[in-house]
Structures are given as C-alpha cells and as structure tokens.
mmCIF file of all heavy atoms in Angstrom:
data_model
loop_
_atom_site.group_PDB
_atom_site.id
_atom_site.type_symbol
_atom_site.label_atom_id
_atom_site.label_comp_id
_atom_site.label_asym_id
_atom_site.label_seq_id
_atom_site.Cartn_x
_atom_site.Cartn_y
_atom_site.Cartn_z
ATOM 1 N N SER A 1 74.332 12.321 100.078
ATOM 2 C CA SER A 1 72.887 12.039 99.982
ATOM 3 C C SER A 1 72.069 12.535 101.171
ATOM 4 O O SER A 1 71.037 11.949 101.505
ATOM 5 C CB SER A 1 72.644 10.530 99.799
ATOM 6 O OG SER A 1 73.326 10.048 98.672
ATOM 7 N N PHE A 2 72.507 13.614 101.814
ATOM 8 C CA PHE A 2 71.737 14.203 102.903
ATOM 9 C C PHE A 2 71.045 15.465 102.392
ATOM 10 O O PHE A 2 71.705 16.455 102.068
ATOM 11 C CB PHE A 2 72.636 14.551 104.095
ATOM 12 C CG PHE A 2 73.298 13.349 104.713
ATOM 13 C CD1 PHE A 2 74.675 13.201 104.660
ATOM 14 C CD2 PHE A 2 72.540 12.368 105.334
ATOM 15 C CE1 PHE A 2 75.297 12.089 105.216
ATOM 16 C CE2 PHE A 2 73.146 11.247 105.896
ATOM 17 C CZ PHE A 2 74.527 11.104 105.837
ATOM 18 N N PRO A 3 69.711 15.466 102.295
ATOM 19 C CA PRO A 3 68.985 16.601 101.720
ATOM 20 C C PRO A 3 69.118 17.881 102.542
ATOM 21 O O PRO A 3 69.371 17.851 103.746
ATOM 22 C CB PRO A 3 67.526 16.111 101.703
ATOM 23 C CG PRO A 3 67.594 14.634 101.856
ATOM 24 C CD PRO A 3 68.815 14.360 102.662
ATOM 25 N N VAL A 4 68.902 19.013 101.861
ATOM 26 C CA VAL A 4 68.840 20.314 102.508
ATOM 27 C C VAL A 4 67.366 20.699 102.637
ATOM 28 O O VAL A 4 66.584 20.512 101.703
ATOM 29 C CB VAL A 4 69.574 21.395 101.676
ATOM 30 C CG1 VAL A 4 69.632 22.711 102.454
ATOM 31 C CG2 VAL A 4 70.960 20.920 101.291
ATOM 32 N N TYR A 5 66.984 21.251 103.781
ATOM 33 C CA TYR A 5 65.587 21.602 104.034
ATOM 34 C C TYR A 5 65.478 23.085 104.415
ATOM 35 O O TYR A 5 66.388 23.655 105.018
ATOM 36 C CB TYR A 5 65.023 20.765 105.182
ATOM 37 C CG TYR A 5 65.145 19.269 105.015
ATOM 38 C CD1 TYR A 5 66.250 18.579 105.504
ATOM 39 C CD2 TYR A 5 64.145 18.536 104.378
ATOM 40 C CE1 TYR A 5 66.362 17.196 105.368
ATOM 41 C CE2 TYR A 5 64.241 17.149 104.240
ATOM 42 C CZ TYR A 5 65.356 16.494 104.736
ATOM 43 O OH TYR A 5 65.463 15.128 104.605
ATOM 44 N N ASN A 6 64.339 23.681 104.071
ATOM 45 C CA ASN A 6 64.066 25.042 104.544
ATOM 46 C C ASN A 6 62.652 25.173 105.106
ATOM 47 O O ASN A 6 62.126 26.270 105.220
ATOM 48 C CB ASN A 6 64.300 26.071 103.435
ATOM 49 C CG ASN A 6 63.301 25.942 102.297
ATOM 50 O OD1 ASN A 6 62.546 24.968 102.222
ATOM 51 N ND2 ASN A 6 63.289 26.913 101.404
ATOM 52 N N GLY A 7 62.058 24.048 105.476
ATOM 53 C CA GLY A 7 60.733 24.061 106.089
ATOM 54 C C GLY A 7 60.771 23.503 107.487
ATOM 55 O O GLY A 7 59.875 22.761 107.898
ATOM 56 N N THR A 8 61.822 23.852 108.237
ATOM 57 C CA THR A 8 62.016 23.273 109.572
ATOM 58 C C THR A 8 62.252 24.363 110.609
ATOM 59 O O THR A 8 63.066 25.269 110.387
ATOM 60 C CB THR A 8 63.222 22.306 109.562
ATOM 61 O OG1 THR A 8 62.961 21.234 108.653
ATOM 62 C CG2 THR A 8 63.476 21.734 110.945
ATOM 63 N N ALA A 9 61.550 24.265 111.711
ATOM 64 C CA ALA A 9 61.778 25.168 112.843
ATOM 65 C C ALA A 9 62.881 24.575 113.712
ATOM 66 O O ALA A 9 62.837 23.392 114.061
ATOM 67 C CB ALA A 9 60.500 25.340 113.654
ATOM 68 N N VAL A 10 63.874 25.400 114.044
ATOM 69 C CA VAL A 10 65.023 24.937 114.824
ATOM 70 C C VAL A 10 65.065 25.687 116.149
ATOM 71 O O VAL A 10 65.016 26.917 116.178
ATOM 72 C CB VAL A 10 66.345 25.171 114.063
ATOM 73 C CG1 VAL A 10 67.517 24.609 114.862
ATOM 74 C CG2 VAL A 10 66.293 24.544 112.677
ATOM 75 N N ARG A 11 65.171 24.932 117.233
ATOM 76 C CA ARG A 11 65.305 25.537 118.563
ATOM 77 C C ARG A 11 66.591 25.038 119.200
ATOM 78 O O ARG A 11 66.861 23.831 119.213
ATOM 79 C CB ARG A 11 64.102 25.173 119.433
ATOM 80 C CG ARG A 11 64.140 25.802 120.826
ATOM 81 C CD ARG A 11 62.926 25.371 121.633
ATOM 82 N NE ARG A 11 62.989 25.847 123.014
ATOM 83 C CZ ARG A 11 62.157 25.450 123.978
ATOM 84 N NH1 ARG A 11 61.180 24.583 123.690
ATOM 85 N NH2 ARG A 11 62.289 25.928 125.212
ATOM 86 N N PHE A 12 67.397 25.973 119.703
ATOM 87 C CA PHE A 12 68.682 25.639 120.319
ATOM 88 C C PHE A 12 68.556 25.665 121.838
ATOM 89 O O PHE A 12 67.933 26.565 122.403
ATOM 90 C CB PHE A 12 69.751 26.643 119.871
ATOM 91 C CG PHE A 12 71.067 26.500 120.584
ATOM 92 C CD1 PHE A 12 71.914 25.444 120.306
ATOM 93 C CD2 PHE A 12 71.458 27.431 121.547
ATOM 94 C CE1 PHE A 12 73.125 25.309 120.977
ATOM 95 C CE2 PHE A 12 72.667 27.311 122.211
ATOM 96 C CZ PHE A 12 73.503 26.241 121.920
ATOM 97 N N PHE A 13 69.147 24.659 122.501
ATOM 98 C CA PHE A 13 69.174 24.599 123.956
ATOM 99 C C PHE A 13 70.614 24.772 124.421
ATOM 100 O O PHE A 13 71.487 23.972 124.080
ATOM 101 C CB PHE A 13 68.633 23.258 124.451
ATOM 102 C CG PHE A 13 67.215 22.988 124.027
ATOM 103 C CD1 PHE A 13 66.954 22.142 122.942
ATOM 104 C CD2 PHE A 13 66.147 23.579 124.680
ATOM 105 C CE1 PHE A 13 65.661 21.892 122.534
ATOM 106 C CE2 PHE A 13 64.844 23.327 124.284
ATOM 107 C CZ PHE A 13 64.596 22.492 123.204
ATOM 108 N N SER A 14 70.849 25.802 125.205
ATOM 109 C CA SER A 14 72.200 26.061 125.702
ATOM 110 C C SER A 14 72.554 25.179 126.890
ATOM 111 O O SER A 14 73.717 25.109 127.290
ATOM 112 C CB SER A 14 72.350 27.537 126.097
ATOM 113 O OG SER A 14 71.445 27.866 127.141
ATOM 114 N N GLN A 15 71.548 24.504 127.462
ATOM 115 C CA GLN A 15 71.768 23.576 128.569
ATOM 116 C C GLN A 15 71.044 22.268 128.266
ATOM 117 O O GLN A 15 69.892 22.273 127.822
ATOM 118 C CB GLN A 15 71.255 24.162 129.888
ATOM 119 C CG GLN A 15 71.949 25.445 130.319
ATOM 120 C CD GLN A 15 73.426 25.242 130.632
ATOM 121 O OE1 GLN A 15 73.838 24.157 131.057
ATOM 122 N NE2 GLN A 15 74.228 26.284 130.431
ATOM 123 N N ALA A 16 71.723 21.158 128.534
ATOM 124 C CA ALA A 16 71.133 19.845 128.256
ATOM 125 C C ALA A 16 69.842 19.636 129.026
ATOM 126 O O ALA A 16 68.900 19.017 128.512
ATOM 127 C CB ALA A 16 72.138 18.751 128.592
ATOM 128 N N ALA A 17 69.784 20.142 130.250
ATOM 129 C CA ALA A 17 68.573 19.949 131.076
ATOM 130 C C ALA A 17 67.351 20.567 130.418
ATOM 131 O O ALA A 17 66.246 20.005 130.478
ATOM 132 C CB ALA A 17 68.791 20.543 132.467
ATOM 133 N N ASP A 18 67.537 21.717 129.757
ATOM 134 C CA ASP A 18 66.412 22.358 129.068
ATOM 135 C C ASP A 18 65.959 21.515 127.874
ATOM 136 O O ASP A 18 64.755 21.381 127.611
ATOM 137 C CB ASP A 18 66.814 23.755 128.601
ATOM 138 C CG ASP A 18 67.120 24.692 129.757
ATOM 139 O OD1 ASP A 18 66.592 24.460 130.856
ATOM 140 O OD2 ASP A 18 67.905 25.640 129.562
ATOM 141 N N GLY A 19 66.928 20.965 127.152
ATOM 142 C CA GLY A 19 66.590 20.094 126.037
ATOM 143 C C GLY A 19 65.855 18.850 126.496
ATOM 144 O O GLY A 19 64.883 18.406 125.858
ATOM 145 N N PHE A 20 66.285 18.292 127.616
ATOM 146 C CA PHE A 20 65.648 17.082 128.146
ATOM 147 C C PHE A 20 64.207 17.364 128.564
ATOM 148 O O PHE A 20 63.303 16.555 128.304
ATOM 149 C CB PHE A 20 66.464 16.555 129.324
ATOM 150 C CG PHE A 20 65.978 15.254 129.872
ATOM 151 C CD1 PHE A 20 65.959 14.110 129.090
ATOM 152 C CD2 PHE A 20 65.540 15.159 131.186
ATOM 153 C CE1 PHE A 20 65.510 12.893 129.592
ATOM 154 C CE2 PHE A 20 65.089 13.952 131.709
ATOM 155 C CZ PHE A 20 65.075 12.822 130.907
ATOM 156 N N GLU A 21 63.973 18.514 129.204
ATOM 157 C CA GLU A 21 62.614 18.869 129.616
ATOM 158 C C GLU A 21 61.712 19.032 128.393
ATOM 159 O O GLU A 21 60.549 18.607 128.402
ATOM 160 C CB GLU A 21 62.630 20.159 130.444
ATOM 161 C CG GLU A 21 63.290 20.020 131.804
ATOM 162 C CD GLU A 21 62.584 19.020 132.706
ATOM 163 O OE1 GLU A 21 61.347 18.896 132.607
ATOM 164 O OE2 GLU A 21 63.268 18.367 133.518
ATOM 165 N N ALA A 22 62.238 19.643 127.336
ATOM 166 C CA ALA A 22 61.460 19.796 126.106
ATOM 167 C C ALA A 22 61.152 18.436 125.489
ATOM 168 O O ALA A 22 60.055 18.207 124.957
ATOM 169 C CB ALA A 22 62.215 20.681 125.116
ATOM 170 N N GLN A 23 62.112 17.513 125.563
ATOM 171 C CA GLN A 23 61.879 16.163 125.061
ATOM 172 C C GLN A 23 60.735 15.496 125.798
ATOM 173 O O GLN A 23 59.866 14.863 125.183
ATOM 174 C CB GLN A 23 63.155 15.319 125.224
ATOM 175 C CG GLN A 23 64.131 15.441 124.070
ATOM 176 C CD GLN A 23 65.351 14.563 124.288
ATOM 177 O OE1 GLN A 23 66.356 15.047 124.767
ATOM 178 N NE2 GLN A 23 65.257 13.306 123.946
ATOM 179 N N LEU A 24 60.766 15.596 127.112
ATOM 180 C CA LEU A 24 59.709 14.970 127.913
ATOM 181 C C LEU A 24 58.338 15.518 127.533
ATOM 182 O O LEU A 24 57.358 14.762 127.440
ATOM 183 C CB LEU A 24 59.979 15.198 129.405
ATOM 184 C CG LEU A 24 61.218 14.512 129.990
ATOM 185 C CD1 LEU A 24 61.397 14.903 131.454
ATOM 186 C CD2 LEU A 24 61.125 12.994 129.852
ATOM 187 N N CYS A 25 58.263 16.824 127.290
ATOM 188 C CA CYS A 25 56.979 17.429 126.898
ATOM 189 C C CYS A 25 56.494 16.890 125.562
ATOM 190 O O CYS A 25 55.312 16.559 125.391
ATOM 191 C CB CYS A 25 57.126 18.954 126.837
ATOM 192 S SG CYS A 25 57.313 19.741 128.446
ATOM 193 N N ASP A 26 57.393 16.795 124.589
ATOM 194 C CA ASP A 26 57.000 16.291 123.269
ATOM 195 C C ASP A 26 56.681 14.803 123.304
ATOM 196 O O ASP A 26 55.772 14.333 122.606
ATOM 197 C CB ASP A 26 58.111 16.569 122.253
ATOM 198 C CG ASP A 26 58.111 18.012 121.768
ATOM 199 O OD1 ASP A 26 57.033 18.536 121.466
ATOM 200 O OD2 ASP A 26 59.196 18.628 121.704
#
C-alpha cells in the first residue's frame, strides 16, 4: 500500500552535513 509518484523533485546529499544544512534552510 505504498503509492508510486512521478511529481516529486528528488535531491541527493552525498554528505550528511549538506543534508542537515538544507533541512535547516527549509
């Protein structure tokens, strides 16, 4: 029961610190 989507922008972070900084901004 997990839907499939094709209207989503996906961004990959190769380092956790970069992901964390993006989180803080959002």
Side-chain angles (χ1 to χ4, degrees):
S1 303
F2 297 114
V4 187
Y5 305 92
N6 67 349
T8 298
V10 183
R11 182 181 175 190
F12 172 73
F13 300 101
S14 61
Q15 298 295 330
D18 296 335
F20 185 62
E21 292 298 327
Q23 274 181 264
L24 294 176
C25 289
D26 281 315

